[in-house]
C-alpha cells in the first residue's frame, strides 16, 4: 500500500494531542523558548511584576532550552576529555554558558537580545509544525507571522552575531557603571571564542570578517586622518591576534 500524502494524513486536535505526547522534549523546547520571549517582554514592559525578576527568568528559560537541546544532541553524559570536547562544540553549550555569565550580573538589556531572537526563530519554526497537525489552512494569521519571521531568518542570525560581538566591549564599559565585575569581560571573550569557532553557525565569523572589511575601508578612505588610520590598523591587528584558530571542517 502507498503511504498517505500530506493532504490525506489525518489532522485535528486529536492529532495535535498525539504529537504533543510523542514529542515531549521538542514541545518542552518550544515551551521554554516561548517562556524566554514572554519574560523578555515582561522585562522591557513591566507587566509581569518586578522587571528584574523577568530578566533573570528569561535567562533561566534560555538555560533550560540549552540543557534540553544538549540532552537531545548528547544524551549520554560521560566524564572524559572527549565528551568535554564534544560538549564545547555544541551551540547549546555556548548559550548555557552565556546564561550562567549574565545570571550573576546586574540586568543588561543587550544580553537578552540574542537569546530572545534565537527563541523567536526556533519557536516560530516549531509552531508551524504544530499548526500543520491541525490542518494546512488552519490559523492563517499565525502562519503569516511565522512566514515573516522565517523570511527574515538570515537577518535575525546576523543580528544575533553582531550582539554576540558587541557584548564583549560593552561588558568592559559596564564595569565602570558597576553592572559587571572584572571577570565578566573574560567570560564574554571565552563565549565569543566559542561562537567564532561554531561548526553549525558561521554568522559570528562572517560578521567579524565584515566588520574588519568595514574598518579597513574606513582607514583606506583618503579623508581619514593619518593618526586615525594608525589606530584602526593597530586595533585590527590586536583583535585579529585574539581570534581563535578555526579548524577546517
Amino acid at each position: 500500500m502507498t503511504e498517505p500524502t500530506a493532504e490525506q494524513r489525518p489532522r485535528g486536535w486529536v492529532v495535535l494531542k498525539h504529537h504533543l505526547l510523542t514529542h515531549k522534549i521538542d514541545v518542552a523546547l518550544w515551551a521554554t523558548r516561548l517562556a524566554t520571549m514572554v519574560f523578555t517582554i515582561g522585562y522591557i514592559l513591566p507587566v509581569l511584576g518586578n522587571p528584574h525578576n523577568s530578566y533573570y527568568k528569561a535567562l533561566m528559560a534560555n538555560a533550560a532550552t540549552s540543557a534540553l537541546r544538549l540532552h537531545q544532541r548528547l544524551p549520554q553524559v560521560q566524564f572524559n576529555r572527549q565528551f568535554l570536547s564534544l560538549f564545547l562544540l555544541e551551540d547549546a553549550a555556548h548559550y548555557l554558558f552565556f546564561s550562567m555569565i549574565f545570571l550573576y550580573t546586574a540586568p543588561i538589556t543587550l544580553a537578552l537580545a540574542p537569546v530572545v531572537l534565537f527563541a523567536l526563530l526556533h519557536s516560530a519554526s516549531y509552531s508551524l509544525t504544530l499548526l500543520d497537525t491541525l490542518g494546512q489552512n488552519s490559523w492563517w494569521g499565525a502562519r503569516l507571522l511565522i512566514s515573516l519571521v522565517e523570511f527574515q531568518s538570515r537577518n535575525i542570525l546576523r543580528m544575533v552575531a553582531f550582539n554576540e560581538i558587541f557584548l564583549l566591549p560593552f561588558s568592559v564599559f559596564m564595569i565602570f557603571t558597576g553592572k559587571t565585575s572584572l571577570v565578566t569581560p573574560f567570560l564574554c571573550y571565552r563565549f565569543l571564542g566559542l561562537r567564532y569557532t561554531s561548526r553549525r553557525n558561521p554568522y559570528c565569523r562572517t560578521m567579524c570578517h565584515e566588520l574588519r572589511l568595514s574598518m579597513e575601508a574606513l582607514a583606506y578612505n583618503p579623508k581619514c586622518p593619518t593618526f586615525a588610520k594608525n589606530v584602526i590598523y593597530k586595533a585590527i591587528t590586536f583583535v585579529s591576534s585574539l581570534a581563535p584558530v578555526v579548524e577546517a571542517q
Side-chain angles (χ1 to χ4, degrees), residues 97-187:
F97 181 46
F98 179 89
S99 296
M100 298 302 293
I101 294 172
F102 290 100
L103 273 173
Y104 296 97
T105 67
I108 299 174
T109 304
L110 192 64
L112 290 182
V115 299
V116 75
L117 288 173
F118 268 133
L120 174 65
L121 188 60
H122 293 298
S123 63
S125 177
Y126 194 70
S127 294
L128 187 60
T129 301
L130 295 178
L131 290 176
D132 284 343
T133 64
L134 294 175
Q136 294 292 331
N137 297 320
S138 62
W139 294 67
W140 63 268
R143 290 178 182 274
L144 177 61
L145 293 175
I146 291 170
S147 65
L148 290 175
V149 172
E150 293 186 336
F151 180 73
Q152 294 295 329
S153 60
R154 186 172 180 272
N155 290 331
I156 290 173
L157 290 171
R158 286 171 58 85
M159 193 182 303
V160 168
F162 181 79
N163 273 276
E164 292 170 348
I165 296 166
F166 187 70
L167 268 172
L168 177 55
F170 189 74
S171 66
V172 175
F173 174 75
M174 286 291 101
I175 293 175
F176 301 101
T177 66
K179 287 195 170 185
T180 61
S181 66
L182 291 172
V183 178
T184 306
F186 293 100
L187 296 176

Side-chain angles (χ1 to χ4, degrees), residues 189-249:
Y189 168 68
R190 181 55 181 156
F191 166 76
L192 185 57
L194 292 172
R195 300 305 296 148
Y196 188 85
T197 57
S198 173
R199 296 180 302 176
R200 304 181 67 198
N201 188 336
Y203 283 92
C204 186
R205 291 191 298 276
T206 302
M207 286 301 297
C208 285
H209 180 66
E210 291 181 5
L211 288 171
R212 175 172 180 168
L213 291 178
S214 298
M215 295 304 295
E216 288 176 344
L218 178 62
Y220 188 73
N221 192 316
K223 295 182 180 180
C224 183
T226 303
F227 79 92
K229 288 183 181 182
N230 293 333
V231 171
I232 292 172
Y233 285 131
K234 287 180 180 179
I236 291 173
T237 302
F238 174 71
V239 172
S240 298
S241 68
L242 296 177
V245 177
V246 180
E247 297 181 3
Q249 300 296 323

Side-chain angles (χ1 to χ4, degrees), residues 56-69:
Y56 293 112
K57 287 178 180 178
L59 288 175
M60 287 188 284
N62 179 69
T65 301
S66 300
L68 286 168
R69 190 72 182 114

